[in-house]
Amino acid sequence: MDSIGKYVSQKISKTRWRPVSSASLQQPEMFATGSWDNEDNKVSLWTIGDHGVASMEDEFEGDTQLLCEIKHEGDVLDLQFLDADRLVTASSSGAVTIYRHHQNNQTLSVAHRWDRAHHYPCDNAPCTGVVCNSPEVVSVGEDGRIILFRADQTGVLRTIENADSSTIHAVTFLRTAEVLTVNSIGQLKLWDLRQQSNEPAQILALTGDRVPLHCVDRHPNQQHIVATGGQDGMLCIWDVRQGNIPFSLMEDHSAEMWEVHFHPSNPDHLFTCSEDGSLLHWETSSSSDTPSFLQSGRNTSIISRSAIAPAGGNQSIISVWLPGDSGKGHLETTHMLPCQTLSVNSLDVLGQCLVCGTDGEAVYVNRQVPV
């Protein structure tokens, strides 16, 4: 089944599946989107089930339908579900907001907002990323701050001032009390929130040019394995236990990589999206002797440069996530979208369902992801 597009009349900056119980075999049916660069930005909830909102005009059963939406001050720069009923946004206004979904009447309301959580002395600073480990929420911003909140408290638990002299672009939990941030000079910084020190416990960086890193995700089972993507479109795999440079560098995007996600239950599969309009599925494979880069017939026009080893023929850098851990196979990449011209800004994958949002004012849903 190919990805099905839905025109939503707004540029989508972020999209996330509503979590489902890991104990159940249920596939997700609801996702959230946040918009940017619109006159009025919104947080919206959508369903791909019926939820009582289907109409005679539906093109087919399972068509994406709007459940509810609420106005959002500023661009939505990040969006994460705290639990099944609450979601958290990062705003270009500097605010961190928790929204509650009321399922009885399908509405969204503001549960709490920390205005100007991120700021400069005389102006707001964009809040660029949030990550949730309920009830805790961590935010990062252009002001170089890291802020720890609790969803059940109105105050701020902790602020790490001057955590970075450059913009922090994204954050993820590495372990319960440890977060990892990426910044605009190509560094990963590991922070232990149990320590009162305002210094990182570890710094990792690419050698050579300081290419800004835009996104980060942690392997769901092996917490020392981390994937990042940045301005050069390069996918980097790191082992935070081993030194301060990445183990693997893989090139298949021709512009900025905006998001990277390991599949949460099958992490041999990884997904990335880019300013170049592509959405890639990376899959470890042991079925061939050489790396194979695949594309479906509909997607031939989005390849703008070949995914090969750099000059010099060093094939060793194109490998499964970590040589020695899972390095017995190779990587294949598959394009998941029809020909795109505008940026794919965000993606999320859960079970066999994948959703992405674009600058083309559309969301795409695929409910048969081969994982």
Side-chain angles (χ1 to χ4, degrees):
M1 176 180 172
D2 292 324
S3 298
I4 298 169
K6 172 81 171 182
Y7 181 71
V8 296
S9 303
Q10 49 190 344
K11 292 182 180 179
I12 300 300
S13 55
K14 293 292 171 180
T15 181
R16 298 286 181 258
W17 288 112
R18 178 191 180 212
V20 295
S21 169
S22 57
S24 74
L25 298 177
Q26 179 185 1
Q27 293 293 318
E29 292 188 342
M30 190 183 304
F31 64 90
T33 60
S35 68
W36 81 288
D37 196 29
N38 300 292
E39 189 170 333
D40 290 313
N41 289 301
K42 298 174 183 176
V43 173
S44 308
L45 284 178
W46 307 81
T47 179
I48 53 176
D50 51 36
H51 281 271
V53 298
S55 66
M56 295 297 291
E57 290 77 27
D58 285 352
E59 294 180 20
F60 51 86
E61 184 181 357
D63 186 23
T64 301
Q65 296 289 327
L66 178 65
L67 275 179
C68 51
E69 61 186 11
I70 190 170
K71 188 175 178 180
H72 184 271
E73 180 186 355
D75 296 335
V76 178
L77 298 187
D78 203 359
L79 174 70
Q80 303 288 339
F81 274 91
L82 182 66
D83 51 37
D85 297 316
R86 293 178 296 174
L87 53 131
V88 183
T89 64
S91 173
S92 60
S93 72
V96 176
T97 306
I98 299 178
Y99 293 93
R100 182 176 294 277
H101 176 217
H102 306 276
Q103 297 192 47
N104 57 338
N105 59 359
Q106 297 300 351
T107 58
L108 282 166
S109 66
V110 174
H112 188 71
R113 177 184 289 122
W114 292 275
D115 287 312
R116 297 192 77 239
H118 293 270
H119 59 274
Y120 300 116
C122 300
D123 199 3
N124 298 337
C127 176
T128 51
V130 291
V131 65
C132 304
N133 185 17
S134 186
E136 294 185 337
V137 177
V138 174
S139 72
V140 295
E142 201 175 275
D143 56 354
R145 285 185 177 88
I146 300 173
I147 306 177
L148 175 64
F149 311 91
R150 277 182 66 99
D152 52 3
Q153 297 181 16
T154 57
V156 171
L157 281 186
R158 183 181 179 191
T159 300
I160 302 179
E161 299 280 355
N162 303 312
D164 217 308
S165 58
S166 59
T167 297
I168 305 175
H169 282 144
V171 59
T172 190
F173 273 100
L174 202 60
R175 297 174 184 85
T176 303
E178 296 176 344
V179 295
L180 193 69
T181 60
V182 294
N183 66 17
S184 60
I185 57 172
Q187 294 176 325
L188 292 81
K189 294 185 179 181
L190 174 62
W191 303 86
D192 189 337
L193 300 178
R194 295 165 296 191
Q195 305 298 321
Q196 291 307 305
S197 169
N198 285 352
E199 298 297 322
Q202 189 177 355
I203 299 177
L204 301 89
L206 287 167
T207 57
D209 294 338
R210 293 187 168 187
V211 177
L213 294 174
H214 294 312
C215 54
V216 60
D217 194 31
R218 185 206 74 194
H219 191 288
N221 303 329
Q222 297 173 285
Q223 296 169 329
H224 57 281
I225 300 177
V226 174
T228 63
Q231 185 170 293
D232 57 0
M234 192 82 71
L235 171 64
C236 300
I237 306 295
W238 309 71
D239 183 345
V240 298
R241 307 167 305 178
Q242 305 291 331
N244 63 349
I245 58 174
F247 262 87
S248 302
L249 298 170
M250 291 160 275
E251 181 182 13
D252 210 11
H253 287 296
S254 60
E256 293 96 332
M257 185 189 298
W258 294 130
E259 282 196 353
V260 55
H261 290 290
F262 286 101
H263 190 281
S265 57
N266 194 348
D268 285 348
H269 299 259
L270 181 145
F271 299 83
T272 59
C273 61
S274 170
E275 178 75 23
D276 66 12
S278 64
L279 173 66
L280 289 182
H281 173 196
W282 304 73
E283 178 183 2
T284 63
S285 170
S286 57
S287 60
S288 61
D289 294 331
T290 56
S292 171
F293 295 88
L294 305 180
Q295 53 181 312
S296 63
R298 296 179 62 189
N299 300 337
T300 54
S301 63
I302 43 178
I303 295 284
S304 59
R305 65 182 179 190
S306 57
I308 59 174
N314 182 4
Q315 290 288 336
S316 65
I317 70 162
I318 298 184
S319 63
V320 186
W321 307 143
L322 288 184
D325 281 1
S326 55
K328 296 178 181 178
H330 302 289
L331 275 178
E332 298 175 346
T333 60
T334 306
H335 285 267
M336 300 291 291
L337 285 181
C339 181
Q340 291 287 298
T341 56
L342 296 177
S343 177
V344 181
N345 298 322
S346 182
L347 73 96
D348 197 22
V349 61
L350 189 59
Q352 286 188 293
C353 298
L354 183 144
V355 62
C356 70
T358 76
D359 270 355
E361 302 190 354
V363 292
Y364 291 86
V365 175
N366 187 323
R367 300 184 73 179
Q368 294 183 4
V369 176
V371 293

